[in-house]
Amino acid sequence: MKGHVVGYVALIGPSKVVSSGLARTAADPPKLAMGPDVMVNVLSVGKMFTTIAVLQSLARHHLSTGSRIWPFLPPGWVKGPGVGTITFGELLTHRAGFRLDSGRVFQTDNAAREQIRQGIQPIDKQVADYNNINFTIFRDLLPFMERAPQPGPAARAAAADRFFLAYVQRQVFDPVGVTDATCAPVRDAVLMYPPPGARTTRGRQAPGGPSACAGGGWFMTPASMLRILEGLISGSLLSSGQRQQMDRNCLGWDCSVDSQTGYRGKGGGPFCDGSACLQIFFGILAGTIPVVIATNSDPGKPLFAIVQTALSAATSHR
């Protein structure tokens, strides 16, 4: 990626951090070198934090990924056709049959409620179809899964936001020492840039995430993302059985929608505003090697493809 992007950083297990270029150029002071401790929008990588939180909650309450979600929907939500068949596992693998525009989560906090009212068609559950609502709905489900006190319809959305954010911090971030995560844009974070040499030199801020960041949009450092991967590998976040289930069944991981051989990964983006782009990779290679990559312009191909090429080269017979 060196020379093809404005800045990138790669963290690969215990190896020395590799980084090059700028997180923010002089055109967007303060000028800042790219590195493991700069704040970045993790984009859809946040779906993995939600996955971990949901698997913990299911285990605590003796539920499975095959359990149906309808008992945990907020009262007052109109349930359209087929909603009673949806399982937690189907949400986590984008197989719930949701076909409402995925972009609605950036327009309204009620996208999940709209989808439930619309309902689903059984045939649509046969094929995975990536939709942010599969994960933003957990902001609404988790308080009921955890039997949190309910303030009433008028205050429910705000209360759900607070509960979800606090739960993820306590159950996912705290155990691995992540203290910098926030579900809101932060000052002096990594900006998105066009490719090097483009006429436009000013960067652009990646927007915040939807619905308590249940579908992504957390801001944190690449070093913190690595801590979460290390927590998965060490067993401090999920049991070995839960981790095996997550990897085997592609819960949260992009293998639910794309082929992944030799690794499990989740991509963030590419998110682009015009020619300015941000892209994140978060994954585990060969079951034991955590990898985080962040780049603030378009490297010319998806990061997962770059990772697959590197993995193949590293493991091929010479």
Side-chain angles (χ1 to χ4, degrees), residues 11-295:
L11 295 81
I12 305 171
S15 300
K16 182 179 178 180
V17 174
V18 179
S19 62
S20 177
L22 298 174
R24 301 174 69 100
T25 70
D28 300 293
K31 183 178 178 180
L32 185 65
M34 184 67 92
D37 297 318
V38 297
M39 293 290 280
V40 63
N41 186 328
V42 307
L43 303 172
S44 281
V45 166
K47 290 181 173 66
M48 294 309 304
F49 314 153
T50 297
T51 300
I52 296 167
V54 169
L55 290 177
Q56 291 174 342
S57 182
L58 291 175
R60 185 179 302 110
H61 299 291
H62 307 291
L63 299 167
S64 73
T65 55
S67 298
R68 298 187 177 187
I69 70 168
W70 68 264
F72 306 100
L73 290 168
W77 280 26
V78 176
K79 302 174 184 66
V83 166
T85 70
I86 298 171
T87 68
F88 287 99
E90 288 169 343
L91 291 177
L92 294 172
T93 55
H94 298 279
R95 287 181 175 271
F98 289 173
R99 293 297 185 269
L100 189 68
D101 180 12
S102 180
R104 283 291 288 164
V105 301
F106 298 105
Q107 301 163 5
T108 174
D109 283 344
N110 289 319
R113 185 171 186 169
E114 293 173 3
Q115 175 64 76
I116 293 301
R117 183 172 61 245
Q118 176 178 299
I120 59 102
Q121 298 297 319
I123 194 171
D124 288 334
K125 297 174 69 174
Q126 297 178 15
V127 179
D129 189 74
Y130 195 95
N131 192 309
N132 287 312
I133 302 173
N134 285 294
F135 282 78
T136 61
I137 195 173
F138 284 114
R139 167 262 208 167
D140 303 294
L141 293 172
L142 194 63
F144 292 95
M145 294 166 65
E146 288 296 308
R147 302 164 189 168
Q150 293 302 309
R156 183 173 291 135
D161 283 347
R162 290 192 298 270
F163 183 87
F164 188 90
L165 294 173
Y167 185 91
V168 173
Q169 179 64 55
R170 183 174 65 252
Q171 298 295 131
V172 182
F173 299 152
D174 285 348
V176 294
V178 171
T179 60
D180 60 3
T182 181
C183 182
V186 298
R187 188 176 181 181
D188 301 340
V190 172
L191 296 181
M192 306 185 299
Y193 289 95
R199 292 184 179 181
T200 303
T201 58
R202 296 295 302 273
R204 300 188 179 186
Q205 173 78 55
S211 300
C213 290
W218 290 93
F219 280 76
M220 67 176 65
T221 64
S224 289
M225 282 189 272
L226 189 71
R227 284 177 177 268
I228 295 167
L229 286 170
E230 290 170 341
L232 279 175
I233 293 168
S234 70
S236 61
L237 289 177
L238 295 176
S239 69
S240 60
Q242 290 172 316
R243 164 84 191 282
Q244 290 173 7
Q245 180 188 38
M246 186 172 72
D247 291 352
R248 183 174 59 251
N249 297 329
C250 299
L251 305 178
W253 299 121
D254 282 337
C255 54
S256 63
V257 290
D258 289 302
S259 175
Q260 295 184 341
T261 301
Y263 76 100
R264 287 292 178 261
K266 182 76 191 82
F271 179 85
C272 299
D273 185 350
S275 61
C277 298
L278 177 68
Q279 193 173 170
I280 312 291
F281 177 85
F282 171 99
I284 301 174
L285 277 59
T288 59
I289 305 171
V291 176
V292 174
I293 305 172
T295 178

